[in-house]
Each structure stands twice: as structure tokens, then as C-alpha cells.
Amino acid sequence: MIIHATKKVCIAAIYDKDAFEKCKEQQVGDQIDLKVGAEHDEHSKGVPIHGVVKAKGDLMGYLGATTDKVGEVCTISIGNIDLVIANSGESFITIGHFEAAGLDISEYDIVVVKQGYLFDELSAMSELDILALTPGATYQLIEELEFKHIPRPSYPFEKETMLK
């Protein structure tokens, strides 16, 4: 995969235990080819990447960004894009999460985090927050999900049930 980006981008983090284990075997500075994606369903298919191991670090827990280690991460540089690969499914919600991963958030023009909204610390340093509604494990458009065991009619699945 060849990527030509003019901005420095960080994507934090993709949870993929298999890809993480392959990264962990490498040293910082090593080139690596691997497939990243959990392969759980059509929305998590693996993508082949070629890059350089940039950093290794800790994955910190929810609000314990300086004290609560819950896993590990490896960052792969693919041109101007740094992809953080984790062995646990936690979100990067503070500057401390990036620091524990061995990254300096200030060196990026664009930071992509996988969560529904930005926590205060990241929001305060952002010029623009964009929420992307995408299918997957935490899809926010519940009216598009298939439910089998709920009473019908139910809002928002049947809009006519909305109180006026």
C-alpha cells in the first residue's frame, strides 16, 4: 500500500492482537509487512500495510492514563501516517495515552481516535472535531441495526411511534 499524504496523521488505535504480536517481534526501526484488521465481519476486514516500526509503548486504561496499564501498543509509520496497533480494545482519550504509547501528539496535523466523541483534554487542543458514524461494534445509528427480541412497534425503528 502506497500512501501519499501531505499532513502528518496518527490513527490511535486499531485493536488487532495478531498484528500486534507480529509488530512486537520487531525492533523500532525495522520494516514490517502485515495485515491489520480483526476479521470479525465485513467491517473489520484486514488491510495489508508496509511500514516501519516507529514506537512501542503501553496502552493505558480509561481515565488512568498515567497509572492504569491495560495492554501494549506498537506504532507503524506508513509514509506520513502513524498507525497505532493495540493488543487490547481501549481508547486514546488523553495526552497521557499518547505519551505512554511513545508518541508526541503535538507532531501531528490530524489525529484520529476511535470513540464516539472527544474527551475534554483532546477536544481543547483540537481546531475541529469530526464524528464519523460508521458500521461496526459500536454503531450509533441504532435504527439501522437488526433487533430480534424487542416489542414492536418501537421508536426509532418505527417512526410513527414517536410521541407528538
Side-chain angles (χ1 to χ4, degrees):
M1 169 183 274
I2 298 174
I3 297 176
H4 301 284
T6 58
K7 302 282 187 179
K8 185 73 174 157
V9 178
C10 180
I11 301 170
I14 301 297
Y15 169 42
D16 184 333
K17 284 184 179 182
D18 294 337
F20 171 81
E21 289 301 323
K22 290 178 183 172
C23 293
K24 187 176 179 177
E25 295 171 2
Q26 306 300 311
Q27 299 299 314
V28 171
D30 287 352
Q31 291 196 18
I32 187 169
D33 290 293
L34 70 156
K35 195 174 197 181
V36 178
E39 301 278 353
H40 291 301
D41 58 24
E42 65 191 62
H43 305 296
S44 63
K45 291 185 189 246
V47 175
I49 64 168
H50 171 77
V52 176
V53 179
K54 175 181 181 167
K56 294 182 176 187
D58 293 332
L59 180 62
M60 306 312 285
Y62 180 61
L63 292 175
T66 59
T67 58
D68 186 18
K69 178 180 172 179
V70 295
E72 296 174 275
V73 296
C74 291
T75 301
I76 308 299
S77 289
I78 311 155
N80 286 357
I81 298 173
D82 287 350
L83 175 63
V84 182
I85 302 170
N87 66 355
S88 180
E90 300 293 326
S91 294
F92 278 55
I93 62 173
T94 68
I95 293 169
H97 285 89
F98 289 89
E99 290 170 345
L103 302 173
D104 178 358
I105 194 171
S106 69
E107 77 176 52
Y108 298 102
D109 300 301
I110 299 169
V111 176
V112 178
V113 292
K114 292 179 56 184
Q115 58 198 25
Y117 53 89
L118 288 183
F119 281 72
D120 292 341
E121 190 174 45
L122 296 183
S123 185
M125 63 187 304
S126 172
E127 291 180 27
L128 175 65
D129 305 357
I130 299 172
L131 173 64
L133 295 174
T134 57
T138 58
Y139 194 30
Q140 300 297 310
L141 297 177
I142 64 168
E143 62 271 20
E144 293 184 12
L145 299 176
E146 181 181 344
F147 286 87
K148 296 178 182 177
H149 302 289
I150 63 171
R152 296 293 185 150
S154 290
Y155 179 82
F157 305 101
E158 292 84 26
K159 301 288 187 208
E160 66 275 5
T161 62
M162 189 167 76
L163 297 175
K164 294 181 182 187

